[in-house]
Amino acid sequence: MVITYAVLLFGMMFLFQPLRRNNFYILHAVLVIALAYYLENVYGIRAKIFGTKTLLFFVVLHLLSINIVTFFAYYHDKKAAVRGGWRVSEMNLHSLEFLGGWFGALVAQKLFHHKTSKKSFMHMFYLMIFMEFAAVYIILKYLGFI
């Protein structure tokens, strides 16, 4: 599982340039790989490289991790905005949202009252949610599930 997840996560980072400079994405990748390593070595969960079970388990770990990391990215950005420090770029926040972290972003927006009044950001936020659902629909259609 560790090899599969490392290939998927770091492969996405090298394919999509905005992810290369996104420290929160790197944190997400390390977190998912560490969880996979822990599950393999402590609980003995083994699966074929790029097997169906491995990929489905990756989706679960990915969604858990990306939502937690996105929530903390919003928290970090809110604290930086209050203090006047270095902010998290909107491109980084939107890329985390598109990768599945939109629910963590939505919770953070409501909890911290952050980025909710900026219209251009919210338009892009909803566009990211729409694009993610469209991508999932296209993938499921291609795989014959729909």
Side-chain angles (χ1 to χ4, degrees):
M1 285 192 328
V2 173
I3 294 169
T4 304
Y5 297 174
V7 167
L8 290 171
L9 292 166
F10 290 116
M12 282 187 358
M13 187 172 66
F14 289 111
L15 285 174
F16 303 110
Q17 186 178 6
L19 296 179
R20 293 179 200 163
R21 294 185 302 266
N22 191 336
N23 292 334
F24 289 101
Y25 178 78
I26 295 169
L27 172 66
H28 159 66
V30 169
L31 183 62
V32 170
I33 292 167
L35 277 169
Y37 179 80
Y38 178 77
L39 292 172
E40 273 188 350
N41 292 310
V42 172
Y43 290 106
I45 297 173
R46 303 262 186 235
K48 294 179 186 175
I49 294 179
F50 294 105
T52 305
K53 181 180 174 184
T54 305
L55 294 176
L56 290 175
F57 202 62
F58 169 76
V59 170
V60 171
L61 288 179
H62 167 75
L63 288 175
L64 283 171
S65 174
I66 198 72
N67 278 289
I68 292 168
V69 168
T70 304
F71 180 86
F72 283 114
Y74 270 79
Y75 172 76
H76 178 74
D77 191 45
K78 177 64 174 186
K79 287 193 84 144
V82 170
R83 290 189 201 147
W86 286 94
R87 305 280 304 274
V88 178
S89 74
E90 289 186 2
M91 173 67 86
N92 286 347
L93 292 175
H94 288 313
S95 61
L96 292 171
E97 295 159 4
F98 177 72
L99 292 173
W102 63 268
F103 184 74
L106 189 63
V107 170
Q109 286 175 2
K110 301 299 179 192
L111 190 63
F112 306 132
H113 304 288
H114 188 54
K115 297 283 190 186
T116 56
S117 62
K118 188 173 181 184
K119 297 286 186 207
S120 62
F121 183 86
M122 291 308 292
H123 288 294
M124 185 60 80
F125 173 71
Y126 291 120
L127 178 64
M128 287 295 115
I129 293 173
F130 174 77
M131 287 175 49
E132 180 184 343
F133 282 121
V136 169
Y137 176 79
I138 290 168
I139 291 168
L140 291 175
K141 184 96 169 157
Y142 177 75
L143 292 174
F145 291 117
I146 296 178

